Coordinates of all heavy atoms in Angstrom, one line a residue:
D1087 N 30.0 127.6 59.3 CA 30.2 128.2 58.0 C 30.7 127.2 57.0 O 31.7 126.5 57.3 CB 31.1 129.4 58.1 CG 31.4 130.1 56.8 OD1 30.5 130.8 56.3 OD2 32.5 129.8 56.3
E1088 N 30.1 127.2 55.8 CA 30.4 126.2 54.8 C 31.9 126.3 54.4 O 32.6 125.3 54.2 CB 29.5 126.2 53.6 CG 28.1 125.7 53.9 CD 27.3 125.6 52.6 OE1 27.8 126.0 51.5 OE2 26.1 125.2 52.7
L1089 N 32.4 127.5 54.1 CA 33.7 127.7 53.7 C 34.7 127.2 54.8 O 35.7 126.6 54.5 CB 34.0 129.1 53.3 CG 33.3 129.7 52.1 CD1 33.6 131.1 51.9 CD2 33.8 128.9 50.9
A1090 N 34.4 127.5 56.0 CA 35.2 127.1 57.2 C 35.2 125.6 57.3 O 36.3 125.0 57.7 CB 34.8 127.8 58.4
V1091 N 34.1 125.0 57.1 CA 34.0 123.5 57.2 C 34.9 122.9 56.1 O 35.7 122.0 56.4 CB 32.5 123.1 57.0 CG1 32.5 121.6 56.7 CG2 31.7 123.4 58.2
Q1092 N 34.8 123.4 54.9 CA 35.7 122.8 53.9 C 37.2 123.1 54.1 O 38.0 122.2 53.8 CB 35.3 123.4 52.5 CG 33.9 123.0 52.0 CD 33.7 121.5 52.0 OE1 34.5 120.8 51.6 NE2 32.5 121.1 52.6
A1093 N 37.5 124.2 54.7 CA 38.9 124.5 55.0 C 39.4 123.5 56.1 O 40.5 123.0 56.0 CB 39.1 125.9 55.5
K1094 N 38.6 123.2 57.1 CA 38.9 122.3 58.1 C 39.1 120.9 57.5 O 40.1 120.2 57.9 CB 37.8 122.3 59.2 CG 37.8 121.1 60.2 CD 39.0 121.3 61.1 CE 38.9 120.3 62.3 NZ 40.1 120.2 63.1
I1095 N 38.2 120.5 56.7 CA 38.3 119.1 56.0 C 39.6 119.0 55.2 O 40.3 118.0 55.3 CB 37.1 118.9 55.1 CG1 35.8 118.8 56.0 CG2 37.3 117.6 54.3 CD1 34.5 118.7 55.1
K1096 N 39.9 120.1 54.4 CA 41.1 120.0 53.6 C 42.4 119.9 54.5 O 43.3 119.1 54.2 CB 41.2 121.3 52.7 CG 42.3 121.3 51.7 CD 42.2 122.4 50.7 CE 43.3 122.3 49.7 NZ 43.1 123.4 48.6
E1097 N 42.4 120.7 55.5 CA 43.6 120.6 56.4 C 43.7 119.3 57.1 O 44.8 118.7 57.1 CB 43.4 121.7 57.5 CG 44.6 121.7 58.5 CD 44.4 122.7 59.6 OE1 43.3 123.4 59.6 OE2 45.3 122.9 60.5
D1098 N 42.6 118.7 57.6 CA 42.6 117.4 58.2 C 43.0 116.3 57.3 O 43.7 115.4 57.6 CB 41.3 117.1 58.8 CG 41.0 117.9 60.1 OD1 41.9 118.6 60.6 OD2 39.8 117.9 60.6
L1099 N 42.5 116.3 56.0 CA 42.8 115.3 55.1 C 44.2 115.3 54.7 O 44.8 114.2 54.5 CB 41.9 115.4 53.8 CG 40.4 115.2 54.0 CD1 39.7 115.3 52.6 CD2 40.1 113.8 54.6
W1100 N 44.9 116.4 54.6 CA 46.3 116.4 54.3 C 47.1 115.8 55.4 O 48.0 114.9 55.1 CB 46.8 117.9 54.1 CG 48.2 117.9 53.6 CD1 49.3 118.1 54.3 CD2 48.6 117.7 52.2 NE1 50.4 118.0 53.6 CE2 50.0 117.8 52.3 CE3 48.0 117.5 51.0 CZ2 50.8 117.6 51.1 CZ3 48.8 117.3 49.9 CH2 50.2 117.4 49.9
G1101 N 46.8 116.1 56.6 CA 47.6 115.5 57.7 C 47.3 114.1 58.0 O 48.2 113.3 58.4
A1102 N 46.0 113.7 58.0 CA 45.6 112.4 58.4 C 45.5 111.4 57.3 O 45.5 110.2 57.6 CB 44.2 112.5 59.1
V1103 N 45.4 111.8 56.1 CA 45.2 110.9 54.9 C 46.4 111.0 54.0 O 47.1 110.0 53.8 CB 43.9 111.2 54.2 CG1 43.8 110.3 53.0 CG2 42.7 111.0 55.1
V1104 N 46.6 112.1 53.4 CA 47.6 112.2 52.3 C 49.0 111.9 52.8 O 49.8 111.1 52.3 CB 47.6 113.6 51.6 CG1 48.7 113.7 50.6 CG2 46.2 113.8 51.0
E1105 N 49.5 112.6 53.9 CA 50.8 112.4 54.4 C 51.1 111.0 54.8 O 52.2 110.4 54.4 CB 51.1 113.4 55.5 CG 51.3 114.8 55.0 CD 51.7 115.8 56.1 OE1 51.4 115.5 57.3 OE2 52.2 116.9 55.8
P1106 N 50.2 110.3 55.5 CA 50.5 108.9 55.9 C 50.6 108.0 54.6 O 51.4 107.0 54.6 CB 49.3 108.5 56.8 CG 48.8 109.8 57.3 CD 49.1 110.8 56.3
V1107 N 49.8 108.3 53.6 CA 49.8 107.4 52.4 C 51.1 107.5 51.7 O 51.6 106.5 51.2 CB 48.6 107.9 51.4 CG1 48.9 107.4 50.0 CG2 47.3 107.4 52.0
F1108 N 51.7 108.7 51.7 CA 53.0 108.8 51.0 C 54.2 108.6 51.8 O 55.3 108.8 51.4 CB 53.0 110.2 50.3 CG 52.2 110.4 49.1 CD1 50.9 110.8 49.2 CD2 52.7 110.1 47.8 CE1 50.1 111.0 48.1 CE2 51.9 110.2 46.7 CZ 50.6 110.7 46.8
G1109 N 54.0 108.3 53.1 CA 55.1 108.2 54.1 C 56.2 107.3 53.7 O 57.4 107.6 53.9
D1110 N 55.9 106.1 53.1 CA 56.9 105.1 52.7 C 57.2 105.1 51.3 O 57.9 104.2 50.8 CB 56.4 103.7 53.2 CG 55.1 103.3 52.4 OD1 54.4 104.2 51.9 OD2 54.8 102.1 52.4
L1111 N 56.9 106.2 50.5 CA 57.1 106.2 49.1 C 58.2 107.2 48.7 O 58.3 108.3 49.4 CB 55.8 106.6 48.4 CG 54.6 105.6 48.5 CD1 53.4 106.2 47.8 CD2 55.0 104.2 48.1
E1112 N 59.0 106.9 47.7 CA 60.0 107.9 47.2 C 59.3 109.1 46.6 O 59.7 110.2 46.7 CB 60.9 107.2 46.3 CG 61.9 106.2 46.9 CD 62.9 105.7 46.0 OE1 63.1 106.3 44.9 OE2 63.5 104.6 46.3
I1113 N 58.3 108.8 45.7 CA 57.6 109.9 45.0 C 56.6 110.5 46.0 O 55.7 109.7 46.5 CB 57.0 109.3 43.7 CG1 58.0 108.9 42.8 CG2 56.1 110.4 43.1 CD1 57.5 108.3 41.5
K1114 N 56.6 111.8 46.2 CA 55.7 112.4 47.1 C 55.2 113.7 46.5 O 55.8 114.3 45.6 CB 56.4 112.8 48.4 CG 57.0 111.6 49.2 CD 57.7 112.1 50.4 CE 58.5 110.9 51.1 NZ 57.6 109.8 51.5
P1115 N 54.0 114.2 47.0 CA 53.6 115.5 46.5 C 54.6 116.6 47.0 O 55.2 116.4 48.0 CB 52.2 115.7 47.2 CG 52.2 114.7 48.3 CD 53.1 113.6 47.9
D1116 N 54.6 117.7 46.2 CA 55.5 118.8 46.5 C 54.7 120.1 46.4 O 53.5 120.1 46.3 CB 56.8 118.8 45.6 CG 56.4 118.9 44.1 OD1 55.3 119.4 43.8 OD2 57.2 118.4 43.3
S1117 N 55.5 121.2 46.4 CA 54.8 122.5 46.5 C 54.1 122.8 45.2 O 53.2 123.7 45.1 CB 55.9 123.6 46.7 OG 56.9 123.6 45.7
E1118 N 54.4 122.0 44.1 CA 53.7 122.2 42.8 C 52.4 121.4 42.7 O 51.7 121.5 41.7 CB 54.7 121.9 41.7 CG 55.9 122.8 41.6 CD 55.5 124.3 41.4 OE1 54.7 124.5 40.5 OE2 56.1 125.1 42.1
T1119 N 52.2 120.4 43.6 CA 51.1 119.5 43.5 C 49.8 120.2 43.9 O 49.7 120.9 44.9 CB 51.3 118.3 44.5 OG1 52.5 117.6 44.1 CG2 50.2 117.4 44.4
R1120 N 48.8 120.1 43.0 CA 47.5 120.6 43.4 C 46.8 119.7 44.3 O 46.8 118.5 44.1 CB 46.7 120.8 42.1 CG 47.1 122.0 41.2 CD 46.2 122.1 40.0 NE 46.1 120.9 39.2 CZ 45.3 120.8 38.2 NH1 44.4 121.7 37.9 NH2 45.3 119.7 37.4

């Protein structure tokens, strides 16, 4: 299902891409970040 595929990608990218990128930075995304 296309919607389910996109939901899976979004979840994976946050954990495998975004969080490691900001791991060593003081400024990080928060609950207000789109």
Side-chain angles (χ1 to χ4, degrees):
D1087 177 74
E1088 286 187 1
L1089 291 177
V1091 166
Q1092 294 307 313
K1094 168 68 172 170
I1095 294 171
K1096 186 172 185 176
E1097 179 184 2
D1098 286 352
L1099 291 184
W1100 185 263
V1103 175
V1104 175
E1105 288 185 335
V1107 161
F1108 285 90
D1110 62 341
L1111 301 176
E1112 288 186 19
I1113 295 177
K1114 301 181 188 297
D1116 57 26
S1117 59
E1118 299 297 314
T1119 300
R1120 288 184 298 171

